Amino acid sequence: MERSRVLLEAARIIRERSEELATMETINNGKSIFEARVDIEISWQTLEYYAGLAGSMAGQHVQLPGGSFGYTRREPLGVCVGIGAWNYPFQIACWKSGPALASGNAMVYKPSPFTPITVVLLAEIFREAGAPPGLFNVVQGGASTGEFLSKHPDVAKISFTGSVPTGSKIMEMASKGIKPVTLELGGKSPLIIFSDSDLENAVNGAMMANFLTQGQVCCNGTRVFVQSNILQKFTEEVVKKVKKIKIGDPLLEDTRMGPLINRPQLEKVFAFIKGAKEQGAKVLTGGEPYIPEDQKLKAGFYMTPCVLGDCKDDMTCVKEEIFGPVMSILPFDTEEEVLERANNSTYGLAAGVFTRDIQRAHRVVASLQAGMCFINNYNVSPVELPFGGYKKSGFGRENGQVTIEYYSQLKTVCVEMGKVESVF
Ligand SMILES: NC(=O)C1=CN([C@@H]2O[C@H](COP(=O)(O)OP(=O)(O)OC[C@H]3O[C@@H](n4cnc5c(N)ncnc54)[C@H](O)[C@@H]3O)[C@@H](O)[C@H]2O)C=CC1
Ligand SMILES: C[N+](C)(C)CCCC(=O)O
């Protein structure tokens, strides 16, 4: 209950300061203020949710023959390390610290060096909310700091959000100390649109699946499979909407797309688009540098959101995570065919299906190899639901009740009520 009180107070402070925190997150990351507000809302909801669970953590009592019994205790792990990515800096820190602190651990958190700011505010908020000094710590730095933390003998667990190659390195380092890891890695998620779906919903779903945070979202549904008989209509509608996305100063109310995180990321995305054209894909809109009129934004890492048509499954833009505002559209004919193609990926973070046929919807998600599946929506993230990947997208879960299990360990106590029957 004490932990719960601290988390509730932290959630209250975040809510009270949400406008300031959202502004800082926009400056930190470049995402629109509109989206940053949603991130802050999800963040305090996460702390509230785990505050609710903190007081209910309990073990099990088991009766054994002869009046003996056993019980289990759910105990904290110790010092947990959180290593975060730059796309959802504040939210990722809350997704990790919420369940970590609720379970009774301390946390050392290393944000991405591209977004160092807002997690420091989170640390100050935890202190203000009554967390003891040193319970939640922020260490700034890049790869070498992350490696130092991952190898440190006093660290009990590592929770990481970021790319697959770094995730693999962290798992290797953790293996030396036999430490549990949670890995939230990348994706190349499929979004399947059947011709019986509500077209307007499906188009909006595809927009939500591709263009939040300048497309730099791990669970984005970037492989958009569209049933052939609605391909043309769907594509027209999507392109129309994409052209209308307001790009510019992310601090302005009506902006919906700010700059990408940095120059290398922008160049990486352009290289993917260039490669896609060389492999025969057609740019239906966007994919160009964008120079805002505002003089002070001219050096920003802006681009126009892009839709690629005439895509094939073996193109690099369809196989690899681009991490930018680029949607690839792929036609399909049958359910069987699309399932096989959707699952033909080393990733398995998320997947979506749009259809009005409820039997088909559930049949399809049951066969999708993805940890987070959406039916008739995409990229909503209620904190009550577990989130995490299959295959190379990682393992372990964030959010939901189950995450307590990833931040705690079970002790079994066996109690003898009779005499010791020695075999010797
Ligand atoms: N799927 C996802 O959620 C994300 C994917 N990415 C992808 O990764 C690419 C590279 O972006 P980065 O920011 O460099 O991602 P990254 O995976 O290298 O970095 C994520 C975090 O890990 C830390 N880190 C880096 N190397 C480490 C190491 N050897 N040991 C411990 N910690 C380490 C970083 O400082 C950062 O805090 C992006 O272009 C994007 O494609 C990036 C961020 C999030
Ligand atoms: C909030 N949501 C679902 C759009 C993205 C969260 C996953 C991430 O950290 O990229």
Side-chain angles (χ1 to χ4, degrees):
M1 291 303 282
E2 240 180 289
R3 293 176 206 153
S4 168
R5 230 169 282 133
V6 170
L7 288 169
L8 281 178
E9 178 60 7
R12 190 197 61 76
I13 299 170
I14 294 171
R15 205 159 64 220
E16 191 178 88
R17 290 172 57 182
S18 43
E19 199 52 32
E20 172 207 345
L21 290 167
T23 304
M24 291 305 281
E25 190 72 326
T26 290
I27 294 166
N28 204 22
N29 166 277
K31 67 176 73 194
S32 74
I33 182 77
F34 186 86
E35 269 192 58
R37 284 188 192 122
V38 179
D39 290 9
I40 302 301
E41 193 179 331
I42 293 176
S43 299
W44 62 253
Q45 285 174 355
T46 306
L47 301 191
E48 272 192 351
Y49 177 77
Y50 286 104
L53 290 187
S56 68
M57 280 171 65
Q60 206 187 6
H61 176 271
V62 183
Q63 295 184 10
L64 298 171
S68 291
F69 62 96
Y71 61 95
T72 57
R73 293 163 49 92
R74 194 152 278 288
E75 297 185 346
L77 295 167
V79 178
C80 299
V81 159
I83 298 179
W86 41 257
N87 55 346
Y88 284 83
F90 195 81
Q91 186 186 288
I92 293 174
C94 288
W95 281 16
K96 298 192 190 306
S97 60
L101 301 194
S103 308
N105 304 286
M107 179 163 259
V108 179
Y109 192 88
K110 191 199 82 59
S112 164
F114 301 117
T115 50
I117 305 170
T118 46
V119 66
V120 177
L121 300 177
L122 178 66
E124 288 172 3
I125 289 169
F126 277 131
R127 278 292 287 133
E128 197 187 326
L135 191 74
F136 180 80
N137 311 272
V138 176
V139 178
Q140 301 284 0
S144 60
T145 310
E147 284 179 20
F148 175 83
L149 292 170
S150 305
K151 287 178 182 163
H152 200 286
D154 292 343
V155 166
K157 184 226 161 76
I158 304 151
S159 176
F160 170 76
T161 300
S163 62
V164 172
T166 307
S168 162
K169 277 186 210 156
I170 286 179
M171 195 170 161
E172 205 178 320
M173 289 185 275
S175 77
K176 302 281 189 291
I178 321 284
K179 289 171 194 174
V181 288
T182 293
L183 299 175
E184 295 290 354
L185 310 178
K188 191 73 195 179
S189 301
L191 171 60
I192 305 173
I193 318 268
F194 285 96
S195 58
D196 68 344
S197 42
D198 175 320
L199 193 71
E200 196 188 341
N201 260 340
V203 168
N204 284 333
M207 299 296 291
M208 288 298 289
N210 280 273
F211 299 115
L212 291 173
T213 307
Q214 293 74 252
Q216 305 161 128
V217 182
C218 52
C219 46
N220 270 0
T222 45
R223 289 185 292 145
V224 181
F225 292 96
V226 184
Q227 207 156 19
S228 301
N229 50 344
I230 56 159
L231 178 69
Q232 202 189 337
K233 186 87 190 114
F234 175 87
T235 307
E236 274 169 27
E237 293 299 314
V238 158
V239 167
K240 227 190 274 170
K241 288 220 167 181
V242 172
K243 283 187 170 150
K244 281 197 196 137
I245 294 177
K246 183 104 175 49
I247 315 167
D249 184 345
L251 286 169
L252 296 179
E253 276 307 318
D254 59 349
T255 297
R256 289 294 177 275
M257 189 169 280
L260 272 67
I261 190 73
N262 52 31
R263 172 78 55 199
Q265 190 67 22
L266 183 69
E267 274 161 15
K268 194 177 136 187
V269 176
F270 286 142
F272 269 111
I273 295 170
K274 185 166 171 276
K277 284 194 264 189
E278 284 163 8
Q279 290 180 332
K282 190 167 165 210
V283 175
L284 303 175
T285 183
E288 300 285 340
Y290 178 84
I291 310 206
E293 277 170 24
D294 186 340
Q295 200 59 36
K296 70 178 190 297
L297 302 178
K298 289 221 184 297
F301 313 123
Y302 292 93
M303 66 172 284
T304 50
C306 179
V307 179
L308 297 174
D310 294 345
C311 293
K312 301 265 169 348
D313 292 5
D314 60 357
M315 289 177 178
T316 312
C317 65
V318 177
K319 285 188 350 206
E320 289 182 23
E321 182 178 46
I322 299 178
F323 230 61
V326 184
M327 177 197 293
S328 298
I329 298 184
L330 302 134
F332 76 91
D333 292 311
T334 69
E335 182 181 317
E336 199 186 6
E337 166 215 334
V338 77
L339 266 173
E340 195 192 314
R341 292 169 62 195
N343 285 335
N344 186 16
S345 168
T346 54
Y347 291 114
L349 187 52
V353 54
F354 276 81
T355 175
R356 281 192 174 109
D357 177 341
I358 57 163
Q359 276 132 339
R360 170 154 62 198
H362 297 288
R363 191 169 60 227
V364 166
V365 290
S367 296
L368 284 168
Q369 295 162 3
M372 178 80 233
C373 292
F374 299 96
I375 295 176
N376 291 336
N377 205 341
Y378 206 96
N379 264 346
V380 287
S381 49
V383 54
E384 301 91 331
L385 299 182
F387 176 89
Y390 279 15
K391 302 198 269 189
K392 276 199 179 172
S393 294
F395 53 80
R397 290 291 176 268
E398 297 195 301
N399 296 340
Q401 286 191 25
V402 71
T403 298
I404 294 293
E405 290 176 24
Y406 293 101
Y407 281 100
S408 60
Q409 54 195 340
L410 204 62
K411 177 178 282 170
T412 301
V413 181
C414 181
V415 183
E416 179 59 60
M417 297 296 279
K419 281 176 67 116
V420 176
E421 279 177 24
S422 173
V423 297
F424 303 105

